[in-house]
Amino acid sequence: MKPVCVLGNGQLGRMLRQAGEPLGIAVYPVGLDAEPEAVPYQKSIITAEIERWPETALTNELEHHANFINRDIFPLLADRLPQKQLLDELHLATAPWQPLTSAEQWPELFNQLGEFIIVKRRVGGYDGRGQWRIHPGDEQQLPAEIYGECIVEQGIPFSGEVSLVGARNRQGDCVFYPLTHNLHQDGILRMSVALPNPPEALQQLAEDMLSKILNKLNYIGVMAMECFIVGDKLLINELAPRVHNSGHWTQNGASISQFELHLRAILDLPMPKPNVCQSAVMVNLIGTEIDIKWLSLPLVHLHWYEKEVCPARKVGHLNLVHNNHQALQKSLSTLSPLLDEAYQYPIKWALEKLS
Ligand code: ATP
Ligand code: MG
């Protein structure tokens, strides 16, 4: 098996490495400031766990490497402006949006998009950072330097959020997981629930949308598409050209995890559709200290990233998987007093999804 170098050494790189191990695939997540000589990239397939990177000795070296899969797609999707333009070109629905280039646009923007507008930095935002929620009058508070650096979107009164995680290989075959329901708080993913039999029409719609994108880009590997549900339609919120937080449940809830699927796709290995026959809940651990008591619950799979615990930082996740919803509900209810206040509404939300 060919080794794989992953640009970026956060939790996604770590979980790609873990997924490679049983298959005998050596995966090397590398920090951006690593010395190029210390990285075995010449003999490797190269992928990334991040969409955007500063210029360093290593990124300069890797960026020009023919084995860097999807190399030219990262800059396109890392910037919300060309990403939205791509979706428009493919006639895929998004929240109505506009580039934000000058403060003079505001009256017209409120006119066009309504009284709840979200300003998003074109590049560099994540976990809800680099965003402002604006009602008329709030625009005065925006820093002057953001004009030209942002887009604006209509605030969508969605009934829910889902994501579709799928993969495409070099031959153009695509496979997908069932839609994942996602609950965000303050712009950060808190909890996901995936059911093995999602509504057929919605699943098909999402698969058609993501296939169109994957094929247009000639993309290889795992991509995630985040959507808002509005009526029986999906609006695409954003695309992530990598393994994605909302796919973490696949580590314990699918026959092939998203991490293994990505490795299979980029290494030209067989890529059957992952089998999913149980329901799964993923709890993101955000700024939460590890608690050994979680492990007293038999359904809990703890994935701890060994990062320093800071507020609003993703430091691990819990996966709970079972084919019996009552068993899952019981386990979530037992877990609830072992987690702080911020998790209580998300747990209620997940219990409802399982009812
Ligand atoms: P992440 O990297 O965690 O996915 P992000 O910082 O890239 O997040 P978005 O995905 O754009 O940001 O937004 C985060 C969340 O904010 C969304 O999942 C959704 O809950 C809310 N949100 C974003 N855009 C809109 C919108 N146009 N209307 C309503 N809610 C929105
Ligand atoms: Mg998002």
Side-chain angles (χ1 to χ4, degrees), residues 51 80 84 95-96 116-118 120 125-131 133 153-158 161 182-189 226-228 237-238 240 242 244-245 314:
E51 290 102 303
R80 291 187 194 270
K84 288 273 202 255
F116 174 34
I117 289 180
I118 304 190
K120 297 184 177 180
Y126 67 101
D127 291 346
R129 289 169 226 199
Q131 297 193 5
R133 282 156 168 69
E153 288 178 16
Q154 183 178 83
I156 301 296
F158 52 75
E161 291 187 85
N182 300 315
L183 181 73
H184 292 83
Q185 286 180 324
D186 304 321
I188 184 163
L189 181 67
E226 297 180 21
C227 300
F228 305 131
N237 171 27
E238 59 170 355
R242 51 171 169 80
H244 191 254
N245 195 172
K314 293 173 180 170

Side-chain angles (χ1 to χ4, degrees), residues 30-44:
V30 287
L32 302 176
D33 47 8
E35 292 293 332
E37 303 74 48
V39 176
Y41 68 91
Q42 293 292 6
K43 292 180 240 96
S44 304

Side-chain angles (χ1 to χ4, degrees), residues 201-232:
L202 203 64
Q203 180 75 28
Q204 193 58 53
L205 175 66
E207 290 189 9
D208 291 348
M209 292 165 89
L210 185 50
S211 297
K212 218 168 165 181
I213 297 161
L214 294 170
N215 289 329
K216 167 76 181 177
L217 296 173
N218 248 318
Y219 185 85
I220 300 173
V222 165
M223 185 185 284
M225 175 179 80
E226 297 180 21
C227 300
F228 305 131
I229 306 180
V230 180
D232 55 1

Side-chain angles (χ1 to χ4, degrees), residues 235-249:
L235 300 184
I236 300 178
N237 171 27
E238 59 170 355
L239 303 170
R242 51 171 169 80
V243 289
H244 191 254
N245 195 172
S246 69
H248 288 1
W249 62 268

Side-chain angles (χ1 to χ4, degrees), residues 13-55:
R14 172 188 169 99
M15 292 187 275
L16 283 165
R17 174 172 58 70
Q18 292 168 345
E21 213 153 88
L23 283 79
I25 302 167
V27 177
Y28 303 98
V30 287
L32 302 176
D33 47 8
E35 292 293 332
E37 303 74 48
V39 176
Y41 68 91
Q42 293 292 6
K43 292 180 240 96
S44 304
I45 294 295
I46 302 161
T47 186
E49 61 146 34
I50 43 175
E51 290 102 303
R52 196 176 146 262
W53 42 82
E55 244 183 71

Side-chain angles (χ1 to χ4, degrees), residues 73-325:
I73 300 173
F74 287 102
L76 182 82
L77 296 187
D79 182 336
R80 291 187 194 270
L81 181 67
Q83 184 183 128
K84 288 273 202 255
Q85 287 166 335
L86 170 75
L87 296 173
D88 283 357
E89 187 191 327
L90 293 174
H91 303 291
L92 294 171
T94 63
W97 69 279
Q98 289 288 328
L100 181 65
T101 53
S102 123
E104 278 149 40
Q105 284 171 274
W106 280 108
E108 184 54 27
L109 288 175
F110 286 125
N111 226 343
Q112 264 184 24
L113 301 178
E115 302 214 321
F116 174 34
I117 289 180
I118 304 190
V119 178
K120 297 184 177 180
R121 270 197 195 280
R122 284 174 49 183
V123 294
Y126 67 101
D127 291 346
R129 289 169 226 199
Q131 297 193 5
W132 295 266
R133 282 156 168 69
I134 303 294
H135 293 91
D138 304 339
E139 72 276 14
Q140 326 275 353
Q141 264 104 64
L142 288 168
E145 43 94 16
I146 67 163
Y147 293 94
E149 307 283 321
C150 290
I151 60 151
V152 292
E153 288 178 16
Q154 183 178 83
I156 301 296
F158 52 75
S159 61
E161 291 187 85
V162 288
S163 55
L164 185 70
V165 176
R168 181 181 180 277
N169 65 13
R170 202 176 286 279
Q171 290 71 50
D173 309 319
C174 295
V175 294
F176 303 95
Y177 294 99
L179 282 167
T180 304
H181 297 268
N182 300 315
L183 181 73
H184 292 83
Q185 286 180 324
D186 304 321
I188 184 163
L189 181 67
R190 176 66 70 165
M191 184 104 68
S192 294
V193 174
L195 308 175
N197 298 305
E200 243 168 69
L202 203 64
Q203 180 75 28
Q204 193 58 53
L205 175 66
E207 290 189 9
D208 291 348
M209 292 165 89
L210 185 50
S211 297
K212 218 168 165 181
I213 297 161
L214 294 170
N215 289 329
K216 167 76 181 177
L217 296 173
N218 248 318
Y219 185 85
I220 300 173
V222 165
M223 185 185 284
M225 175 179 80
E226 297 180 21
C227 300
F228 305 131
I229 306 180
V230 180
D232 55 1
K233 293 274 173 298
L234 293 175
L235 300 184
I236 300 178
N237 171 27
E238 59 170 355
L239 303 170
R242 51 171 169 80
V243 289
H244 191 254
N245 195 172
S246 69
H248 288 1
W249 62 268
T250 62
Q251 289 173 307
N252 305 102
S255 60
I256 303 169
S257 75
Q258 64 162 348
F259 302 99
E260 182 178 335
L261 194 65
H262 184 67
L263 295 176
R264 287 181 184 230
I266 65 175
L267 290 173
D268 272 330
L269 297 172
M271 196 184 72
K273 183 180 164 62
N275 191 284
V276 176
C277 51
Q278 308 185 77
S279 295
V281 178
M282 192 263 338
V283 184
N284 251 355
L285 299 168
I286 301 168
T288 301
E289 293 290 346
I290 194 166
D291 185 348
I292 297 309
K293 290 200 281 298
W294 299 327
L295 297 179
S296 59
L297 285 154
L299 295 193
V300 165
H301 299 270
L302 169 63
H303 297 265
W304 187 251
Y305 310 152
E306 296 183 284
K307 301 201 303 195
E308 197 193 328
V309 179
C310 305
R313 189 176 205 199
K314 293 173 180 170
V315 291
H317 65 274
L318 306 175
N319 286 338
L320 292 84
V321 178
H322 207 279
N323 56 10
N324 179 322
H325 282 191

